[in-house]
Amino acid sequence: MADLRRTPLAVPPWSMALLAMFSVQLGSALSVGLIDDVGPAGTAWLRLTMGALVFVVLVRPSVRTLRRADVPVVLALGVATGLMTLSFLAALDRIDLGTAVAIEFLGPLTVAAVRSGTRRGLALPLLALAGVVLLTEPWHGDVDPVGVGFAALGAVGWASYILLTQHVGDRFNGVDGLAFTIPVAALTAAVVGVPQAAGHLSPGILATALGLALLLPCLPFALEMLALRRMTPLAFGTLMALEPAIGALLGLVVLGQQPGPLQVLGVALVVTAGAAAQRGGLREPVTPDQDVLT
């Protein structure tokens, strides 16, 4: 029987990225209830810990496959993933899902803009930033600066995650790398997540965390790693332009967070900036034996 971890998927990489986006935003929307129970850091720790257990059980990684040169990038991706998850859920505890996603999207859009090497590309993050201003409506005076700050920190984490995920995906077969990086992410989140969740754990909460972990991080992180083996950071980062719209839609459907007219326009500006930045982006898959850093 073929090893599913090493069998290349005959589906376009953009379809995997789209499915990953829906899974991420649905998992984020459904996490709001768990945040109420164990806090944002506790939710991040529980989701990542459950996700780590799933990857370890299904992938059964061998430490012998981990080369010394792989360790720094694996640790870096794990820490970036943990910080990204912590920051985003802390933002989600304070601001609407669509707004948090739009702010966080500035990270991958900036990656795309810098990689594009054109003046137009460098101007697109400014267009997206204008959209974020419309989303937050600071002139009303009720913007949550802490929530916006957490989302901005998540943007830095998301940009780092995209670049590092491609390197890890190139170094390992299939999703093997996630079996090493997600446990590191869980340990990173545990620093603040364990104290926040302590005393609030129950079988029901653990079961909920396991279900949410399948939506995020298990399914989307695996799909993103596979997609990034066949896409450039430019194409992947700008395809994520749809994520703020998906976040706003699921925020409305699942959480009842109805955006106003200016906020809808803000989402449209962010999506437009991302769509305008996307040009081509397919790359030849790199085998784990190749030197991906050259």
Side-chain angles (χ1 to χ4, degrees), residues 55 69 102 113 115 125 152 155 157 166 176 193 200 210 218 225 240 259 277 286 292 294:
F55 277 117
R115 288 294 184 95
Q166 187 173 67
D176 289 11
H200 302 286
L210 176 59
C218 292
M225 182 164 287
M240 296 296 102
V286 178
V292 298
T294 58

Side-chain angles (χ1 to χ4, degrees), residues 141-160:
D142 56 357
V143 63
D144 189 322
V146 176
V148 171
F150 277 128
L153 183 59
V156 176
W158 197 1
S160 302

Side-chain angles (χ1 to χ4, degrees), residues 115-133:
R115 288 294 184 95
S116 72
T118 65
R119 291 183 178 180
R120 186 196 65 180
L122 294 175
L124 291 174
L126 296 178
L127 178 62
L129 184 60
V132 168
V133 171

Side-chain angles (χ1 to χ4, degrees), residues 132-171:
V132 168
V133 171
L134 292 178
L135 274 165
T136 54
E137 299 181 338
W139 52 84
H140 287 167
D142 56 357
V143 63
D144 189 322
V146 176
V148 171
F150 277 128
L153 183 59
V156 176
W158 197 1
S160 302
Y161 165 82
I162 287 175
L163 297 174
L164 291 168
T165 292
Q166 187 173 67
H167 284 312
V168 171
D170 286 341
R171 287 174 176 268

Side-chain angles (χ1 to χ4, degrees), residues 59-134:
V59 179
R60 301 187 302 277
S62 173
V63 178
R64 290 177 296 179
T65 65
L66 189 64
R67 298 168 294 185
R68 181 175 298 180
D70 297 333
V71 174
V73 70
V74 165
L75 292 177
L77 177 56
V79 172
T81 301
L83 293 178
M84 176 182 70
T85 305
L86 284 168
S87 300
F88 181 73
L89 289 177
L92 190 59
D93 191 38
R94 292 175 171 270
I95 59 180
D96 288 350
L97 175 60
T99 302
V101 176
I103 296 173
E104 196 181 36
F105 174 68
L106 292 175
L109 180 57
T110 300
V111 169
V114 172
R115 288 294 184 95
S116 72
T118 65
R119 291 183 178 180
R120 186 196 65 180
L122 294 175
L124 291 174
L126 296 178
L127 178 62
L129 184 60
V132 168
V133 171
L134 292 178

Side-chain angles (χ1 to χ4, degrees), residues 149-238:
F150 277 128
L153 183 59
V156 176
W158 197 1
S160 302
Y161 165 82
I162 287 175
L163 297 174
L164 291 168
T165 292
Q166 187 173 67
H167 284 312
V168 171
D170 286 341
R171 287 174 176 268
F172 293 91
N173 287 303
V175 297
D176 289 11
L178 290 172
F180 294 113
T181 61
I182 299 302
V184 174
L187 290 174
T188 301
V191 176
V192 289
V194 170
Q196 195 171 83
H200 302 286
L201 300 180
S202 68
I205 286 178
L206 294 177
T208 299
L210 176 59
L212 290 172
L214 297 178
L215 284 173
L216 179 62
C218 292
L219 178 61
F221 283 13
L223 290 172
E224 287 170 356
M225 182 164 287
L226 292 173
L228 276 164
R229 285 178 58 82
R230 297 165 57 197
M231 299 178 73
T232 63
L234 169 61
F236 183 86
T238 52

Side-chain angles (χ1 to χ4, degrees), residues 15-34:
S15 65
M16 292 186 284
L18 282 176
L19 181 56
M21 283 189 282
F22 275 101
S23 186
V24 165
Q25 296 312 315
L26 182 58
S28 297
L30 295 177
S31 291
V32 170
L34 190 59

